[in-house]
Amino acid sequence: MAAEDRERWDARHAAVSAAGASDVPMPPDALRGREHLLPNGGRALDVACGRGTVAGWLAERGFVVDAVDISEAAVAAGAALAADRGVAERVRWWRYDLDAGLPGACAGPYDVVVCQRFRDPALYPVLAQRLAPGGLLVLTVQSVVGDEPGRFRASPGELLAAFAELTTLHHTESDGQASLLARRR
Ligand SMILES: C[S@@+](CC[C@H](N)C(=O)[O-])C[C@H]1O[C@@H](n2cnc3c(N)ncnc32)[C@H](O)[C@@H]1O
């Protein structure tokens, strides 16, 4: 990632922290109303975790979580949230540029892999590979479907094609957003 992009993300997260953000743990968007699909604990990976609200939510449900983001301010906010909720020991935070793939230490296998509001098709194969048998993939990306074109947006059917080897549990594509819930066989 270019240094200016990294600084832009970090400045954005730092500004939210400086404004006194009150982050709260929350499920990934694609899982809302479908929490019954979540495995009963195990290991989880949150890719481009941002301020760690999803990582914290998973940790509160007993998962041991690896959470990865390029922004120091984001992972600091996540670590503070996890400490505040008494689950600090269940989350490992990785400040890492996902342009280089996943950190080597995040080898899995994971019972849950989450990636929301971050899209890098080059990572799709490794996200599937890191799933344990029966593991759940939870993805949300911006899409061209129902919105304007853009180079950061998924093309129609992109998630279904990229994760065809998995069993699709739920897929939506509308209003500029695509999401996928899928399980490894
Ligand atoms: C729109 S935010 C989404 C954060 C979180 N997943 C959520 O849903 O709240 C995108 C995140 O991706 C991170 N990011 C962007 N490019 C990255 C890269 N190359 N490597 C690691 N993290 C990156 C940013 O720092 C930011 O926290």
Side-chain angles (χ1 to χ4, degrees), residues 27-28 31 34-41 44 54 57-63 111-114 134 136 138 169 181 183:
L31 202 59
R34 301 181 189 87
E35 287 87 345
H36 61 282
L37 296 173
L38 197 67
N40 286 328
V54 168
W57 185 84
L58 289 164
E60 285 190 331
R61 272 143 195 83
F63 288 89
D111 301 285
V112 180
V113 171
V114 176
L136 181 69
V138 184
L169 305 176
L181 291 175
R183 207 182 287 292

Side-chain angles (χ1 to χ4, degrees), residues 32-153:
R32 286 196 192 156
R34 301 181 189 87
E35 287 87 345
H36 61 282
L37 296 173
L38 197 67
N40 286 328
R43 296 185 63 192
L45 173 67
D46 188 359
V47 177
C49 63
R51 306 180 63 79
T53 54
V54 168
W57 185 84
L58 289 164
E60 285 190 331
R61 272 143 195 83
F63 288 89
V64 174
V65 186
D66 283 314
V68 185
D69 200 281
I70 191 70
S71 163
E72 187 72 51
V75 297
L81 175 63
D84 190 46
R85 305 293 291 210
V87 295
E89 76 287 353
R90 291 210 201 110
V91 191
R92 292 194 300 177
W93 302 96
W94 303 94
R95 200 192 70 72
Y96 194 81
D97 187 349
L98 291 160
D99 287 1
L102 289 176
C106 296
Y110 294 102
D111 301 285
V112 180
V113 171
V114 176
C115 184
Q116 73 171 12
R117 291 189 276 279
F118 174 80
R119 172 177 169 269
D120 181 354
L123 282 179
Y124 289 163
V126 77
L127 299 185
Q129 286 160 13
R130 291 294 189 271
L131 283 170
L136 181 69
L137 180 71
V138 184
L139 288 189
T140 302
V141 295
Q142 287 189 305
S143 165
V144 298
V145 178
D147 210 329
E148 59 197 28
R151 68 187 177 101
F152 297 115
R153 293 176 177 271

